[in-house]
Amino acid sequence: MLSSHQQARRQERLDAVLAAAWEIAAESGLGAVTLHDVARRVGLRQPSLYVYVSSKLGLFDAMYARAYGELLARLAALPDSGSARLRLMRIFWVILDFVVSQPPRQQLLFQRTIPGFTPSEPSYALAEKLVEQVTALLAEVGASRPEQVDVYTALIAGLGAQQIANDPGGDRWSRLLEPVLDCILDHCRREDLP
Amino acid sequence: MLSSHQQARRQERLDAVLAAAWEIAAESGLGAVTLHDVARRVGLRQPSLYVYVSSKLGLFDAMYARAYGELLARLAALPDSGSARLRLMRIFWVILDFVVSQPPRQQLLFQRTIPGFTPSEPSYALAEKLVEQVTALLAEVGASRPEQVDVYTALIAGLGAQQIANDPGGDRWSRLLEPVLDCILDHCRREDLP
DNA sequence: GTCTATACTAAGATAGAC
DNA sequence: GTCTATCTTAGTATAGAC
C-alpha cells in the first residue's frame, strides 16, 4: 500500500513524463516521440520509464487522457454567461484553438493515425464527456438531431485539418469559424438533413 | 539513352512498386509501408528498389503523385452534363469517396502527418490542378471569393476526417455531403464571410 | 525506483559481385 | 538491373544489481 505522499510523488513524476512527451510531439510530431527521448528530458534512463507507463502504447494512452483532461479543464473554465449560441461559439473556439496551436493533439485525439493505438476505456470516457457537453449545448440552440451534431463536429474537424495542413501558424481557416457557424445555425435546420 | 521499350518496362516495374506500396498502406496504414515489404511483394530484394526510387521519401513522393493522378483521372471521367451545382456535387462526391474508401490517401494527400515529407514540385502541381478544377466550378455557382472556396474544402476535409475516424466503413458523415452542401450553397453567400 | 547492460528487432542505405 | 552481404542507426523491452 502506498502512502499518499508516495502517490503524490509518483503522480508528479508521471506528469513530468507526459509533459515531456507532449513537448516532443509539439516540436517534432507525434511519430518522433520515443521513450529514450522522453526519459532524457525528465532526467531518467529509458528503462526507468516502465515504472510509470506499461509500454509505448501505454504512454500514448496516458498522453491521450492528459490532453483530454486539459481540454475539458479549459472548457470548464469558460464563462457561463451569454446566450447558448455564444457559449457554443466559445466552446468550439477553444477546441479549434486547442488542436490548431498544437497539431499533434488533433492527430492523437481526433484522428486514427497511430498504428495500433486505441484509447483505453477510462481514457475514452473523457472523449465522451466532451461530446456530451457539445451535444447538450447544440440541443439548446435547436440542433438536437444526431445528424445535426455530426455536421458541427465535421465543421470543426475540417477547419482544424485545413488550417493545420495548409496554413500552419496562420488563421486562414480558423477565422471562418464564427461566420460559417452563424450561417449554418441560422439556415441549416433539422428538416434540411436526411 | 534508353530505348522506349526499356522505358516502358521500367515504368511497368515502377507502377508495380507503387501499387504494392499503396496496397500495404490500405491494409496496415501509411506508417507500415517499408521498403522491405514493398520489395517482397513485387518479388525483388530491398536494395533493388533503389533503382526505382531514390529513398523512402522518394517513394512517398511517387505514391503521392500516383494517387493524385488517379484522382484526377476519376474526375476527368465524370460526365460533363447537368448544372454547375450538379457537377460540383459529383466532384466532391468522388473526392470524398476517394479518401474515405482508403484513409491513407487522406493522410498522404491532404494532411501533414508523414515526418519530413513534402511533395516535390511536379507532384505538387497535380494538387494545384485539383484546386483549380474545384475553384472554377465554385465560381460558376457563385462562390468566387477565396474564403468561400476555403469553406468548401474544409467541409469535404471535415466530413472525410470524421467518417474515417469515427465510423470507418460506414456512411454516417459522408451521406451528409449533399444536404449540407445544398444548404451552404443556398444560404452562405459572399456577404456572410469576413 | 533507478541504474547498467543487453537482447531483440527492424529499418534505411551502401558496396561491390554478377 | 538484380543480387548478397553488410553497415549503421535506432527503437522497445527485459534481466538483474544496487
Side-chain angles (χ1 to χ4, degrees), chain A residues 28 31 107 110-113 115 147 150-151 153-155 157-159 161-162 164-166 172-173 175-176 179-180 183-184 187-188 192-194, chain B residues 28 31 107 110-113 115 147 150-151 153-155 157-159 161-162 164-166 172-173 175-176 179-180 183-184 187-188 192-194:
Chain A
S28 319
Q107 225 181 313
F110 302 122
Q111 296 171 352
R112 286 279 170 275
T113 183
E147 289 82 1
D150 289 346
V151 169
T153 61
L155 174 67
L159 291 175
Q162 289 293 86
I164 288 167
N166 299 313
R172 183 172 147 189
W173 275 271
R175 70 164 194 261
L176 300 175
V180 176
C183 165
I184 298 187
H187 299 297
C188 302
D192 294 323
L193 292 175
Chain B
S28 319
Q107 225 181 315
F110 302 124
Q111 295 171 353
R112 286 277 170 277
T113 184
E147 289 82 0
D150 289 346
V151 169
T153 60
L155 174 67
L159 291 175
Q162 289 294 87
I164 288 167
N166 300 315
R172 182 170 147 190
W173 275 271
R175 71 164 194 260
L176 300 175
V180 176
C183 165
I184 298 188
H187 299 297
C188 302
D192 294 323
L193 292 174

Side-chain angles (χ1 to χ4, degrees), chain A:
Chain A
M1 187 149 176
L2 273 64
S3 76
S4 69
H5 180 67
Q6 279 172 320
Q7 281 186 334
R9 266 207 92 59
R10 196 193 164 92
Q11 185 60 43
E12 245 175 64
R13 274 280 208 208
L14 178 57
D15 275 349
V17 165
L18 298 179
W22 273 115
E23 192 178 283
I24 295 165
E27 289 171 13
S28 319
L30 212 48
V33 175
T34 69
L35 296 178
H36 279 95
D37 204 358
V38 171
R40 201 175 41 72
R41 297 209 186 199
V42 295
L44 288 177
R45 303 293 175 154
Q46 175 253 348
S48 307
L49 287 188
Y50 283 82
V51 174
Y52 302 99
V53 294
S54 63
S55 68
K56 179 99 182 261
L57 288 179
L59 172 64
F60 278 129
D61 191 57
M63 290 172 71
Y64 177 99
R66 192 191 145 89
Y68 259 111
E70 192 184 327
L71 177 54
L72 288 169
R74 288 196 199 184
L75 296 181
L78 284 176
D80 224 14
S81 61
S83 63
R85 180 183 285 220
L86 179 60
R87 279 175 288 141
L88 184 67
M89 188 76 77
R90 281 198 205 109
I91 285 192
F92 281 157
W93 174 252
V94 166
I95 297 174
L96 192 55
D97 177 64
F98 190 74
V99 299
V100 165
S101 65
Q102 278 187 38
R105 288 170 175 161
Q106 164 117 319
Q107 225 181 313
L108 188 62
L109 303 190
F110 302 122
Q111 296 171 352
R112 286 279 170 275
T113 183
I114 304 296
F117 172 68
T118 321
S120 63
E121 208 181 303
S123 297
Y124 189 68
L126 297 170
E128 286 175 325
K129 219 171 142 182
L130 177 66
V131 174
E132 279 164 28
Q133 284 195 26
V134 170
T135 305
L137 255 184
L138 278 170
E140 277 194 60
V141 297
S144 51
R145 287 184 54 204
E147 289 82 1
Q148 292 177 287
V149 177
D150 289 346
V151 169
Y152 293 96
T153 61
L155 174 67
I156 308 300
L159 291 175
Q162 289 293 86
Q163 182 59 55
I164 288 167
N166 299 313
D167 182 39
D171 70 343
R172 183 172 147 189
W173 275 271
S174 20
R175 70 164 194 261
L176 300 175
L177 172 62
E178 191 170 332
V180 176
L181 189 57
D182 270 334
C183 165
I184 298 187
L185 280 170
D186 284 337
H187 299 297
C188 302
R189 323 300 301 181
R190 20 187 337 121
E191 58 275 12
D192 294 323
L193 292 175

Side-chain angles (χ1 to χ4, degrees), chain B residues 67-152:
Chain B
Y68 259 111
E70 192 183 327
L71 177 54
L72 288 169
R74 288 196 197 185
L75 296 181
L78 285 176
D80 224 14
S81 61
S83 64
R85 180 182 285 220
L86 179 61
R87 279 175 287 143
L88 184 67
M89 188 77 76
R90 282 198 203 108
I91 285 192
F92 281 157
W93 174 252
V94 167
I95 297 174
L96 192 56
D97 177 65
F98 190 74
V99 299
V100 164
S101 64
Q102 277 187 39
R105 288 170 175 162
Q106 164 117 319
Q107 225 181 315
L108 187 62
L109 303 190
F110 302 124
Q111 295 171 353
R112 286 277 170 277
T113 184
I114 304 295
F117 172 68
T118 321
S120 64
E121 209 182 303
S123 297
Y124 189 68
L126 297 170
E128 286 175 327
K129 219 170 143 183
L130 177 65
V131 174
E132 278 163 30
Q133 284 194 27
V134 171
T135 304
L137 256 184
L138 277 170
E140 277 194 60
V141 297
S144 51
R145 287 184 54 205
E147 289 82 0
Q148 292 176 287
V149 177
D150 289 346
V151 169
Y152 294 96

